[in-house]
Amino acid sequence: MTDRQKKQFLNNLSTFGAWTVAILFFFPIFWMFLTSFKSELQAIAVPPLFVFEPTVENYVLVEERTDYLKFAWNSVVTSIGGTLLAMLIAIPSAYAMAFNTTRWTKDILLWMLSTKMLPAVGVLLPIYLICQKFGLLDTKTALVVIYAMINLPIIMLILFNYFKEIPKEILEASRMDGASTYGEITQVVMPLAWGGIASTALLSVVLLWNEAFWSINLTSSNAGTLVALVASFSSPEGLFWAKLSAVSTLACAPIVIFGWLTQKQLVQGLTFGAVK
């Protein structure tokens, strides 16, 4: 086998491996989508049915029994609101750490990142009591603030790496022209790092859309998001897989379409934050 043939073989092998992994990851979503068009008996049939007569009964039931648009709107408001609040804090913070680096900068970033390892249930009680004290239970305001805090470490780390790529000479030139700190951030740093900021914001929206712990524990009917709607379909009588698959498909569909349309920017944001 020549070197060219070996290279071609390795390329084909890596492509096959990538497709295999992709199919394995995608199969649960495909199965959920398929199950949503089955009856409850077909959904629990053994062996599993790949060929059956599809029905939209489950989707009709979800539409009749729930206010899907209200839950979807809550997901949009809380995920975008949490992202905007986190970006508002992270951009000046990342700017300060990227262009005024001290020997403590990396320690601070690592400490912030380590807070992501803290089990959320460990701080549930104090946050629940705070929300109860201020009348924020079952409100979108509470979710926006909490969502911003839980994503802030990742957003800051990614933006820090983006900002570090900007040559300091550009900032020095703007200072010689009399630019203030606010002017440097808004007129120099943000335009140069706009692609990174947009990628980070998109990634944050996707992460917050799928956040379930705080939504389920702090909200119910008024501010519940789509993940809370999915959780409400479990009952003491058991799980109704076909109906659960239908509501899960409706909950996943908006963010899957959004992720598909912005996949290039999302991959850019993920790889930048991971490599640096």
Side-chain angles (χ1 to χ4, degrees), residues 32-95:
M32 176 185 72
F33 178 74
L34 202 65
T35 305
S36 69
F37 291 99
K38 296 179 180 178
S39 65
E40 290 297 342
L41 288 178
Q42 290 172 333
I44 60 174
V46 180
L49 298 176
F50 284 89
V51 180
F52 57 92
E53 186 177 347
T55 174
V56 294
E57 178 185 348
N58 300 310
Y59 289 96
V60 173
L61 185 141
V62 171
E63 177 63 25
E64 289 177 349
R65 292 190 181 181
T66 66
D67 192 350
Y68 170 78
L69 291 179
K70 178 183 175 182
F71 284 91
W73 174 246
N74 289 340
S75 288
V76 171
V77 171
T78 54
S79 57
I80 293 179
T83 296
L84 291 177
L85 181 58
M87 297 295 285
L88 194 64
I89 300 171
I91 289 175
S93 302
Y95 162 84

Side-chain angles (χ1 to χ4, degrees), residues 92-143:
S93 302
Y95 162 84
M97 287 194 287
F99 297 108
N100 298 283
T101 306
T102 69
R103 60 173 180 163
W104 304 108
T105 299
K106 286 189 176 179
D107 294 333
I108 294 172
L109 283 171
L110 287 175
W111 172 76
M112 292 187 65
L113 200 59
S114 68
T115 60
K116 292 293 293 180
M117 304 174 191
L118 176 70
V121 70
V123 292
L124 173 61
L125 182 59
I127 289 180
Y128 184 90
L129 293 176
I130 291 172
C131 291
Q132 187 181 48
K133 179 73 175 178
F134 290 96
L136 294 174
L137 286 179
D138 199 15
T139 64
K140 291 189 280 293
T141 303
L143 280 189

